[in-house]
Amino acid sequence: MEQALATIVKPLPAHLFTVHDGSAEMRWEAMAGQGYHTPIDRFFVRNHTYTPRIDSPTWRLRLHGAGLRCPGEYDYGQLRAMPSRTIDAAIECAGNGRRLYATQQHNPAPGAQWGLGAIGVARWRGVPLSYLLRHAGLRPDAVDLLPSGLDAPFEDYGHVRRPLPVDKAMADVLVAYEMNGRPLPPDHGFPVRLVVPGWVGIASIKWLGDIEVATRELTSPWNTVFYRDVTIQPVKSAFELAWNARLVAGRPHILHGRSWSGRGRIVRVEVSVDGGLSWRLAAHHGPHLVSAWLPWHIGWTPRRPGPYELMARATDETGETQPLTTPHHAFGYHFDAVVRHPVSVVHG
Ligand SMILES: Nc1nc2c(c(=O)[nH]1)N[C@H]1C(S)=C(S)[C@@H](COP(=O)(O)O)O[C@H]1N2
Ligand SMILES: [Mo]
């Protein structure tokens, strides 16, 4: 539990999480048998420094900059009294799957060696950012926002902050204060975070303290040094199984998984149990939401014991399909290739 003391507040039991430096990845087997949403006790945490403890009665959200006619401050009660919206949306780190550049493409990328567990889907409730911006008198010549976090500055780069174009801000971004029906937990941004559907996780600034609204394009180290040229999350899939899971030969199994894309709904998922020689369509179940994931399943009765590689390949509504290999990325972002998930089939 020492690492939890250092950076993350919630418990990080080894059957739910793998810890990387100050961050914690969900184990995919922890989604087996769960409902549509990722429970908070297993939702991944990505912190640049550590989870701050913020006191909601004294907290304020400051809106300022040349793009607003009525800059000002909002307290927690004011935000909670405004019209709210609820959305089911994924938050996924741009570096999710980074380890696979090394293990599957023999070309490691530096950074936290996430497997596929740096994603979660939650039910978020809060104030539409569009409502708040109109309330603060958004000017027609506003171009970019700069939402900034209240966590400790990261190295010499200052507070975690990343420009957000006004068009996206007005489209579907939420200033969220609830996650899965409860106040945001400290690790996920209490009292308030942004939820930016479909975009790289860094856009969803936690522990929101202020938003500058500018009439020119803005930059920060989080779009010039880190997470440069990554915006919308590509299509990916995962099995709800442990890495190297053991399955008994000669018995019917139902393989469960989920697929998602920042570009839109998933329309097709194919599964191969023979290293990609043949593919079968998986069956869909559960909601089919634009900013979240599609749960699916497929039957499999492995006949012979031995090592196998399970593969799942999804296609989204824009026609984008997961490739078998993906171009290398120096920072290890956007690993979207079909993942070869090893399992061992054992005698019953
Ligand atoms: N203020 C602040 N916001 C932040 C971060 C951070 O370290 N500080 N990490 C970002 C990154 S890189 C990701 S992937 C998501 C992770 O959200 P989660 O920890 O709630 O899963 O939060 C983003 N928002
Ligand atoms: Mo991230």
Side-chain angles (χ1 to χ4, degrees):
M1 288 280 133
E2 270 164 53
Q3 84 288 356
L5 282 179
T7 67
I8 294 175
V9 172
K10 70 183 177 185
L12 303 171
H15 68 288
L16 299 180
F17 290 102
T18 307
V19 172
H20 306 276
D21 308 322
S23 297
E25 153 172 25
M26 180 193 75
R27 291 180 176 274
W28 262 96
E29 60 270 36
M31 279 311 289
Q34 297 295 321
Y36 191 73
H37 302 99
T38 311
I40 288 167
D41 68 0
R42 60 205 68 191
F43 202 103
F44 85 102
V45 181
R46 162 68 167 112
N47 283 351
H48 280 73
T49 57
Y50 52 87
T51 296
R53 301 310 295 257
I54 295 171
D55 176 46
S56 59
T58 55
W59 172 88
R60 299 285 181 277
L61 174 60
R62 195 162 66 90
L63 267 71
H64 59 103
L68 296 176
R69 263 187 238 101
C70 346
E73 288 190 347
Y74 297 83
D75 68 24
Y76 192 62
Q78 279 171 299
L79 287 186
R80 294 211 61 133
M82 286 179 171
S84 74
R85 221 188 129 211
T86 300
I87 56 171
D88 292 315
I91 290 184
E92 182 184 19
C93 191
N96 194 24
R98 181 180 284 125
R99 176 164 60 84
L100 296 153
Y101 281 107
T103 58
Q104 206 167 289
Q105 300 195 167
H106 313 294
N107 198 356
Q113 295 299 301
W114 306 106
L116 278 175
I119 177 163
V121 167
R123 173 158 292 178
W124 310 97
R125 190 162 84 94
V127 184
L129 181 54
S130 59
Y131 180 89
L132 205 59
L133 290 173
R134 284 202 192 93
H135 195 270
L138 182 70
R139 295 172 51 106
D141 56 349
V143 172
D144 263 351
L145 278 60
L146 189 61
S148 174
L150 292 167
D151 42 338
F154 175 64
E155 298 174 356
D156 292 333
Y157 299 100
H159 289 287
V160 176
R161 61 201 189 282
R162 158 132 168 152
L164 179 70
V166 76
D167 289 351
K168 179 66 173 174
M170 293 301 284
D172 59 358
V173 175
L174 207 60
V175 180
Y177 46 71
E178 242 179 56
M179 180 179 188
N180 294 346
R182 304 222 301 266
L184 277 185
D187 297 311
H188 298 289
F190 184 85
V192 162
R193 81 176 302 163
L194 290 187
V195 175
V196 182
W199 285 28
V200 285
I202 185 62
S204 293
I205 293 293
K206 303 193 278 189
W207 313 295
L208 193 61
D210 82 86
I211 303 179
E212 177 188 351
V213 182
T215 53
R216 60 187 171 85
E217 276 188 27
L218 297 174
T219 59
S220 90
W222 283 270
N223 73 334
T224 57
V225 182
F226 322 109
Y227 305 107
R228 188 175 168 161
D229 300 325
V230 287
T231 307
I232 300 179
Q233 289 293 99
V235 51
K236 300 189 201 182
S237 303
F239 289 92
E240 296 170 9
L241 277 177
W243 209 248
N244 299 314
R246 290 156 70 89
L247 300 174
V248 175
R251 297 231 185 107
H253 295 276
I254 298 179
L255 305 173
H256 288 265
R258 302 178 194 234
S259 299
W260 61 94
S261 164
R263 301 188 183 98
R265 287 183 182 78
I266 298 297
V267 295
R268 188 169 67 246
V269 182
E270 301 152 282
V271 171
S272 174
V273 295
D274 57 11
L277 289 174
S278 64
W279 296 85
R280 283 185 295 143
L281 275 182
H284 305 172
H285 58 272
H288 197 190
L289 303 174
V290 67
S291 304
W293 50 28
L294 178 69
W296 46 260
H297 63 271
I298 194 165
W300 182 40
T301 306
R303 267 177 285 158
R304 289 175 199 290
Y308 288 78
E309 279 178 341
L310 306 182
M311 298 160 80
R313 173 169 75 188
T315 302
D316 70 20
E317 63 185 329
T318 72
E320 205 64 39
T321 297
Q322 291 182 256
L324 288 176
T325 56
T326 198
H328 189 66
H329 190 290
F331 285 82
Y333 301 140
H334 288 182
F335 187 92
D336 62 348
V338 173
V339 173
R340 295 171 171 271
H341 187 130
V343 297
S344 39
V345 171
V346 296
H347 284 288

